[in-house]
């Protein structure tokens, strides 16, 4: 399936999680991949939730979790109206429209703006976030608008975590995937009322430094931090390990 979206160019349908998750997404620019799949696999069982997917793009993380947890409601928060529209179409494409809704808004700017769309204070059981990895000026920015928005933040990571704290219910939680070098920034941002911090390093290969971290935490918890077993994605032959393959096919979880 190929079509056009005025601001996004050509749109094609892709499949993740062993073909079970169907996604319409731009052919050019940022595309859903391992980061989204791994973060979705790290979200715990939430019952009805709801789960907020911050910076949802075309809805990959929220829809992946909802497809695994049949009672879960999700809110897909995306600042680009055209990507948000694709996320809504993807919810319908995966028969999840009854449990997924989209909110067009900028994370970390005006909580009142998000509240008008139903993302109110203390309303979410969990927040998942795969934020842009860099702030403006840190890297050369892509000329492709949706890739630039996905990789370069207009707001700081601290702003994203403050927004998560605002919308979380008491004892609610947050999970974030980021480049490994950002671990210090994540931990600093979580000092504003979070505990039970769990850190999992993700390595491309066992003998190389971590390339990503997944960090989860609970609002108001006094439980000490834990360093979880590392995840190694690839074996010595460069291919996914058996467990990594199972994660990418939606047949295993990290939670």
């Amino acid at each position: 399936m190929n079509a056009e979206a005025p601001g996004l160019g050509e749109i094609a349908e892709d499949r993740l999680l062993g073909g079970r998750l169907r996604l319409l997404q731009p052919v050019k620019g940022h595309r859903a991949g391992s980061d989204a799949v791994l973060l979705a696999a790290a979200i715990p069982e939430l019952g009805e939730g709801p789960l907020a997917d911050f910076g949802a793009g075309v809805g990959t993380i929220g829809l992946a979790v909802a497809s695994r947890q049949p009672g879960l409601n999700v809110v897909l928060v995306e600042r680009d109206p055209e990507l948000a529209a694709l996320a809504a179409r993807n919810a319908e494409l995966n028969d999840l429209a009854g449990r997924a809704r989209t909110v067009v808004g900028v994370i970390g700017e005006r909580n009142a703006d998000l509240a008008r769309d139903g993302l109110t204070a203390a309303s979410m059981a969990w927040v998942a976030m795969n934020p842009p990895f860099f702030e403006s000026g840190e890297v050369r920015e892509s000329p492709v608008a949706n890739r630039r928005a996905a990789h370069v933040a207009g707001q700081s990571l601290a702003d994203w975590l403050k927004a998560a704290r605002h919308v979380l219910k008491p004892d609610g939680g947050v999970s974030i995937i980021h480049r490994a070098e950002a671990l210090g920034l994540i931990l600093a941002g979580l000092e504003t009322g979070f505990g039970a911090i769990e850190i999992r390093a993700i390595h491309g290969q066992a003998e190389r430094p971590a390339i990503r971290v997944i960090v989860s935490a609970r609002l108001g918890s006094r439980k000490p931090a834990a360093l979880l077993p590392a995840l190694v994605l690839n074996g010595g032959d460069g291919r996914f390990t058996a467990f990594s393959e199972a994660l990418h096919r939606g047949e295993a979880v990290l939670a």
Side-chain angles (χ1 to χ4, degrees):
M1 177 179 180
N2 290 73
E4 292 279 339
L8 300 175
E10 185 180 2
I11 304 299
E13 180 180 324
D14 296 308
R15 297 193 177 220
L16 274 66
L17 305 181
R20 291 189 297 279
L21 184 66
R22 301 168 63 187
L23 290 177
L24 300 173
Q25 55 181 341
V27 171
K28 294 183 178 180
H30 180 74
R31 298 171 62 75
S34 284
D35 287 353
V37 169
L38 295 175
L39 184 58
I43 305 299
E45 291 291 328
L46 297 172
E48 293 184 357
L51 165 74
D53 179 357
F54 277 11
V58 297
T60 310
I61 295 167
L63 297 178
V65 183
S67 70
R68 189 180 86 233
Q69 301 188 27
L72 181 65
N73 297 299
V74 299
V75 182
L76 309 173
V77 187
E78 171 52 46
R79 64 181 176 180
D80 185 320
E82 289 192 288
L83 286 177
L86 274 184
R89 290 174 63 189
N90 286 333
E92 294 178 356
L93 194 62
N94 290 280
D95 296 323
L96 293 170
R99 295 192 285 121
R101 63 184 177 89
T102 58
V103 170
V104 178
V106 178
I107 303 300
E109 283 198 345
R110 292 173 57 89
N111 290 326
D113 291 343
L114 295 177
R116 280 195 290 271
D117 289 308
L119 198 66
T120 55
S123 63
M124 297 287 114
W126 210 269
V127 173
M129 59 173 75
N130 179 13
F133 283 175
F134 302 97
E135 295 188 18
S136 182
E138 286 189 303
V139 292
R140 182 177 179 180
E141 298 184 14
S142 171
V144 181
N146 76 76
R147 179 179 289 154
R148 181 170 62 249
H151 294 175
V152 180
Q155 291 73 40
S156 70
L157 181 57
D159 289 334
W160 279 57
L161 290 168
K162 287 178 184 177
R165 188 180 72 238
H166 176 75
V167 302
L168 282 172
K169 299 176 181 179
D171 199 41
V174 60
S175 294
I176 179 171
I177 190 167
H178 213 296
R179 57 196 176 101
E181 295 86 346
L183 179 58
L185 289 174
I186 297 170
L187 295 178
L190 291 174
E191 289 179 352
T192 57
F194 289 91
I197 297 170
E198 295 183 340
I199 304 165
R200 189 187 302 274
I202 301 172
H203 299 253
Q205 292 187 318
E207 69 277 10
R208 295 182 180 177
I211 55 174
R212 298 285 186 271
V213 288
I214 295 177
V215 182
S216 296
R218 282 191 178 270
L219 187 63
S221 176
R222 294 182 179 274
K223 184 178 177 181
L227 185 60
L228 302 181
L231 172 65
V232 178
L233 296 177
N234 305 306
D237 60 0
R239 298 181 179 180
F240 281 155
T241 65
F243 183 60
S244 179
E245 179 69 29
L247 287 170
H248 284 82
R249 293 184 63 83
E251 297 168 353
V253 296
L254 288 169

